[in-house]
Amino acid sequence: MTVAKLTSQRICTSMVGKVGKVASASTNGTTRRLRTQSQGLASRRNVGALGLRARAAAQVRSSVVMAAGVPAELPSTTFKVRVRDESIGGDNPFKWVDVTSKELFGGKKVVLFSLPGAFTPTCSTYQLPNFEKLYDEFKAKGVDAVYCLSVNDSFVMNQWAKAQNLKNVKVIPDGSLLFTNAMGMNVQKDNHGFGQRSWRYAVVADDMKIVQTFIEPGKCENGSVDDDPYGASSPENILKYLKGEEFDAGA
C-alpha cells in the first residue's frame, strides 16, 4: 500500500472516530437535556400539586381534621359552680364551689353534649328539653348521667336549668372555655356578638375515656346566620348508637 493511501485511510479513520465522538456527545447531550427537561417538568408538576393541596388546606377548614383533634379522654379541668346551700339563709342561699371533671365524669358512663349558648333557639327548643324527656331511655342503656355544657357562667346556666324545669340533666358552666379549648371545640362567633363559644357536639364517655363522638359538620369561625347545624348531637341520634342501630357520627 502506498504512503498516500495509508495516510488517507488514517485520516478517514480519524475523521470517522471524531464524527462518532461528536455524534455520541451530541446524543448524550440531547439525552441529558431531555432528562433534565423531564425532571424539571415532573418537579414543577409535583410543586404545583403540592401548592394546590396547600392552598386548598389553607382555604377549606376540614371538619374531619377537626374531629380527629378531639382528645382520647375528657379534659381534666375545674368548673366554677354556684350551688344552693340553705344553711346560708337569706334570699340568695348560694355559694361558689369548684367541681372537677373527675368528680363529674370519673367512674361513670356519661353523655355530655355542648352547645353554642344557653337560651338560644335550637338549644332551648329541641336539644336540651329532648335530652330531659328521653333521660329514662339513656338510663335504660346504661348511662349514669347526662350533662349539658355551654360557654356561659354559672348564674346563666342555673337560670336556664330553672327555666327548662330540669330534673335529670345536669348543666355545666364553662365560662372561661377551659374545657372547650381542651376539647378543641372553641369557635369565634363574633358575627352574632357571642365572642368565643363551643361548637355543637356530644360524646359518650366511660370513666373519662371518650367512646364515641357526635360532632356537627362544618365547624368554622364566624359562619353564616344559619351556620348552626343540628342532628348528629341530638338525643335521638345518640340513642340510636346506644341501641346498636345505624347512627350519624357527624364530622
Side-chain angles (χ1 to χ4, degrees):
M1 183 177 292
T2 64
V3 174
K5 287 183 178 179
L6 183 58
T7 302
S8 175
Q9 284 180 348
R10 286 176 178 173
I11 292 172
C12 288
T13 301
S14 176
M15 290 180 66
V16 168
K18 289 179 179 179
V19 169
K21 289 179 181 179
V22 170
S24 177
S26 176
T27 301
N28 290 339
T30 301
T31 301
R32 282 195 297 272
R33 283 196 299 274
L34 289 173
R35 187 182 296 116
T36 300
Q37 290 173 354
S38 176
Q39 290 172 345
L41 181 59
S43 177
R44 285 194 296 275
R45 284 175 178 168
N46 289 336
V47 171
L50 289 171
L52 287 173
R53 285 196 291 271
R55 284 195 295 272
Q59 293 171 356
V60 179
R61 301 190 63 173
S62 171
S63 58
V64 174
V65 172
M66 291 185 179
V70 172
E73 294 189 0
L74 295 174
S76 294
T77 58
T78 300
F79 303 100
K80 304 292 184 179
V81 180
R82 292 282 289 176
V83 298
R84 192 176 186 90
D85 184 353
E86 297 296 346
S87 66
I88 297 174
D91 296 330
N92 190 24
F94 286 84
K95 64 181 180 182
W96 286 107
V97 174
D98 286 351
V99 181
T100 66
S101 301
K102 191 71 174 177
E103 290 174 301
L104 293 174
F105 313 129
K108 304 174 187 175
K109 184 175 183 179
V110 305
V111 171
L112 167 70
F113 64 100
S114 186
L115 36 79
F119 293 102
T120 53
T122 301
C123 311
S124 295
T125 306
Y126 303 107
Q127 195 169 24
L128 181 54
N130 285 347
F131 268 107
E132 179 72 12
K133 289 176 186 176
L134 296 170
Y135 181 79
D136 288 339
E137 291 192 40
F138 282 102
K139 292 289 287 185
K141 289 300 171 184
V143 173
D144 297 305
V146 177
Y147 294 98
C148 171
L149 182 143
S150 181
V151 181
N152 293 106
D153 61 67
S154 190
F155 292 100
V156 171
M157 293 299 282
N158 285 347
Q159 287 301 310
W160 191 31
K162 182 178 179 181
Q164 290 281 327
N165 195 30
L166 297 184
K167 304 297 182 185
N168 301 302
V169 177
K170 306 294 192 300
V171 296
I172 303 175
D174 188 32
S176 296
L177 292 109
L178 297 179
F179 188 91
T180 300
N181 281 335
M183 283 292 291
M185 287 291 121
N186 59 313
V187 291
Q188 287 292 144
K189 285 190 171 288
D190 296 320
N191 57 321
H192 298 317
F194 282 8
Q196 285 196 349
R197 293 299 176 108
S198 172
W199 186 251
R200 194 185 299 278
Y201 70 93
V203 300
V204 173
D206 194 347
D207 191 21
M208 299 286 285
K209 294 180 177 61
I210 296 176
V211 179
Q212 180 62 51
T213 61
F214 307 85
I215 302 173
E216 300 297 344
K219 181 174 180 287
C220 62
E221 311 280 2
N222 296 316
S224 67
V225 174
D226 298 322
D227 192 16
D228 182 21
Y230 175 60
S233 63
S234 69
E236 295 86 355
N237 183 58
I238 298 171
L239 276 171
K240 288 181 181 179
Y241 160 75
L242 293 171
K243 292 176 181 178
E245 301 173 2
E246 186 176 344
F247 69 101
D248 179 12

